[in-house]
Structure formats: C-alpha cells, structure tokens
C-alpha cells in the first residue's frame, strides 16, 4: 500500500469513527450504569405482552369491540390512561399524547405490561440476595409506540434515570407498578363513533363506594388491528 493510499485509508477510518460517535443518542442516554446492570448479560429483546385487550380482527367496528368486552376489560383502558396522568403533580388530563410527561409514560408502561419477562434474581450462598427488574429501553418505547402517536419519552426525565446502563440500553427497577392501585373506577357510559371509542367512568371514593369523586372520559382510536390512546379528560365533582 503506497503512502497516498495509506493516507486515504486513515482519513476514511477517521471519518467513520467520527460518524459513529455522533449517532443520535437514545433519549436518556447520558447516564452512568448501575451496579446491578453491570453484571447482567445483554439479552435479545422480545416485546412484552400487554394486559390491555386487543382487537381480534373479527371486531371490525368499535361497536363490535365494545359488545364483546366486559366492563372489567374496558376499565383496563381507563386505568392505563389514569396511570399516565394520575401521579403526584401530574395534570390529570391529556388532550393528546404529547401532553403526557416521561414519568407518566413510564408509569403507563409499568401499568399495562406483564412484568414476568423482566424479573431477575441474584443468589448468594444458595439464597436470593437481590430481586429486581431489568428493562430494555426498547421494551418501553415499543409498548409506547403501540398505543401512542406523537409522544416524547426521555428516560433521564424520570426517577429511573440513574439506573440506566447506556451501553446495554437497559435500566433497573426495584418495583414494577404504575399509578392507580388505590383508585376505584366504575363504567358510566361507552359508545363507538366511526373509528373512535369513548369510555366515561366514575371515580369513586375507595372508602365510600357511593361517593363520586370525579368523571374520567377516555377517547381511543380503533380499527380491527390496533387501539391507540387519543385523549383523557378528568373532571372532579
């Protein structure tokens, strides 16, 4: 290889290295890795099951979907919407997914996702020494992509920022739960309109089920392949 060819080769290598370093970062990727995640081998990502009912393909209209679902199944959607906006300091409503904070989106993910795929244990002297959840960032964004349009999620804006491993693009959580465990909902009305589903639910006092606290109205987009969250309006009584 002559000197001219060698200089060209080195120049190209330098450019390639620079381009690699300047790839757009995954949102939240400026954080130190956690002690636990350093000991976890990188795993092939598999989308986690959702707890929310999905269209079967035969339910070709919102009306057919609503007719085939129980009240408990429909309340899962209201519960999920509340998980995204019902935490401390949150807005309680969203006019579009763009209004939901990163903390709310992560709470939504925890609330609707089957956690078993992420559960890990570490043993010491034959006994379980640590229990935690190892969650790929892609698991979160793939679930959010499934249910939202035009959202913004940044892991560094959440309480799990310090547990993020930038190299493996995964984070550690000691718990797997979204907002909503202490909230009681009861269906008021449901209706389908073109490609929309509207679910109105009453929020009741957990200590007095006869006492109405608020009304939540959820709007979903529906077709026979997917359901997406469009808006949620919370009106205290």
């Amino acid at each position: 290889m002559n000197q001219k060819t060698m200089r060209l080769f080195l120049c190209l290598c330098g450019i390639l290295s620079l381009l690699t370093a300047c790839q757009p970062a995954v949102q939240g990727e400026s954080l130190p890795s956690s002690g636990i995640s350093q000991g976890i081998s990188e795993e092939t990502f598999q989308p986690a099951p959702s707890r929310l009912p999905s269209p079967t393909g035969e339910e070709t209209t919102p009306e057919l979907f609503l007719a085939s679902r129980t009240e408990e199944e429909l309340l899962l959607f209201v519960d999920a919407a509340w998980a995204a906006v019902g935490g401390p300091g949150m807005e309680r409503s969203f006019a579009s997914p763009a209004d939901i904070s990163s903390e709310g989106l992560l709470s939504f993910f925890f609330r609707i996702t089957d956690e078993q795929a992420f559960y890990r244990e570490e043993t010491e002297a034959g006994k379980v020494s640590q229990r935690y959840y190892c969650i790929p960032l892609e698991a979160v964004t793939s679930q959010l992509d499934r249910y939202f349009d035009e959202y913004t999620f940044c892991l560094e804006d959440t309480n799990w920022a310090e547990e993020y491993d930038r190299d493996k693009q995964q984070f550690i959580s000691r718990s797997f739960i979204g907002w909503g465990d202490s909230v009681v909902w009861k269906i008021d009305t449901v209706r389908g309109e073109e490609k929309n589903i509207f679910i109105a639910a009453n929020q009741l006092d957990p200590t007095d089920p006869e006492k109405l606290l608020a009304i939540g109205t959820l709007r979903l987009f529906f077709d026979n392949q997917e359901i997406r969250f469009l808006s949620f309006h919370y009106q205290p009584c």
Side-chain angles (χ1 to χ4, degrees), residues 2 9 78 94 96 100 117-118 124 133 146 156 165 177 185 194 206 221 230:
N2 60 40
F9 174 75
V78 177
F94 62 90
S96 79
I100 306 174
F118 309 109
E124 185 175 338
Y133 298 91
R146 181 177 178 182
E156 65 185 358
D165 184 323
I177 187 169
W185 295 100
E194 296 182 350
F221 169 83
L230 299 179

Side-chain angles (χ1 to χ4, degrees), residues 84-112:
V85 294
M90 293 184 181
E91 295 296 327
R92 300 292 190 264
S93 299
F94 62 90
S96 79
D99 296 335
I100 306 174
S101 68
S102 293
E103 195 75 51
L105 290 168
L106 193 55
S107 174
F108 175 92
F109 165 80
F110 284 138
R111 197 69 178 167
I112 70 163

Side-chain angles (χ1 to χ4, degrees), residues 72-93:
E72 288 73 20
E73 288 176 314
L74 296 177
L75 282 176
L76 290 174
F77 291 99
V78 177
D79 180 75
W82 179 252
V85 294
M90 293 184 181
E91 295 296 327
R92 300 292 190 264
S93 299

Side-chain angles (χ1 to χ4, degrees), residues 9-234:
F9 174 75
L10 293 175
C11 181
L12 289 173
C13 288
I15 292 172
L16 180 60
S17 175
L18 179 61
L19 289 175
T20 302
C22 295
Q23 290 298 312
V26 176
Q27 291 181 320
E29 258 197 1
S30 57
L31 308 166
S33 60
S34 68
I36 294 176
S37 63
Q38 288 177 357
I40 299 172
S41 61
E42 190 170 0
E43 302 175 14
T44 302
F45 168 73
Q46 296 291 337
S50 169
R51 295 191 177 99
L52 298 180
S54 298
T56 63
E58 298 177 356
E59 300 157 337
T60 55
T61 67
E63 292 80 6
L64 288 174
F65 179 81
L66 291 172
S68 65
R69 299 299 171 179
T70 66
E71 178 173 335
E72 288 73 20
E73 288 176 314
L74 296 177
L75 282 176
L76 290 174
F77 291 99
V78 177
D79 180 75
W82 179 252
V85 294
M90 293 184 181
E91 295 296 327
R92 300 292 190 264
S93 299
F94 62 90
S96 79
D99 296 335
I100 306 174
S101 68
S102 293
E103 195 75 51
L105 290 168
L106 193 55
S107 174
F108 175 92
F109 165 80
F110 284 138
R111 197 69 178 167
I112 70 163
T113 304
D114 185 346
E115 72 271 22
Q116 289 305 312
F118 309 109
Y119 180 73
R120 302 290 184 271
E121 291 181 350
E122 290 187 3
T123 59
E124 185 175 338
K127 296 182 179 181
V128 176
S129 58
Q130 295 192 77
R131 294 181 173 88
Y132 55 89
Y133 298 91
C134 179
I135 306 167
L137 188 60
E138 188 178 1
V140 179
T141 56
S142 67
Q143 201 77 290
L144 298 178
D145 287 343
R146 181 177 178 182
Y147 291 107
F148 295 110
D149 291 316
E150 299 180 359
Y151 69 88
T152 300
F153 177 72
C154 184
L155 188 63
E156 65 185 358
D157 292 336
T158 74
N159 292 328
W160 284 262
E162 294 184 359
E163 299 296 341
Y164 184 66
D165 184 323
R166 94 188 315 183
D167 295 327
K168 296 175 181 173
Q169 296 188 18
Q170 61 190 20
F171 66 99
I172 299 300
S173 178
R174 300 289 182 176
S175 61
F176 202 103
I177 187 169
W179 300 109
D181 270 0
S182 62
V183 178
V184 178
W185 295 100
K186 184 177 180 180
I187 291 289
D188 183 19
T189 62
V190 297
R191 64 184 175 90
E193 183 178 307
E194 296 182 350
K195 287 193 173 184
N196 292 293
I197 289 175
F198 295 88
I199 304 174
N202 296 327
Q203 188 184 72
L204 306 177
D205 187 332
T207 63
D208 182 5
E210 300 300 319
K211 184 179 180 181
L212 179 63
L213 299 179
I215 298 175
T217 304
L218 175 64
R219 181 186 172 208
L220 303 167
F221 169 83
F222 172 89
D223 68 17
N224 61 350
Q225 299 295 325
E226 63 180 2
I227 291 177
R228 291 180 175 266
F229 288 71
L230 299 179
S231 66
F232 180 74
H233 179 69
Y234 181 79

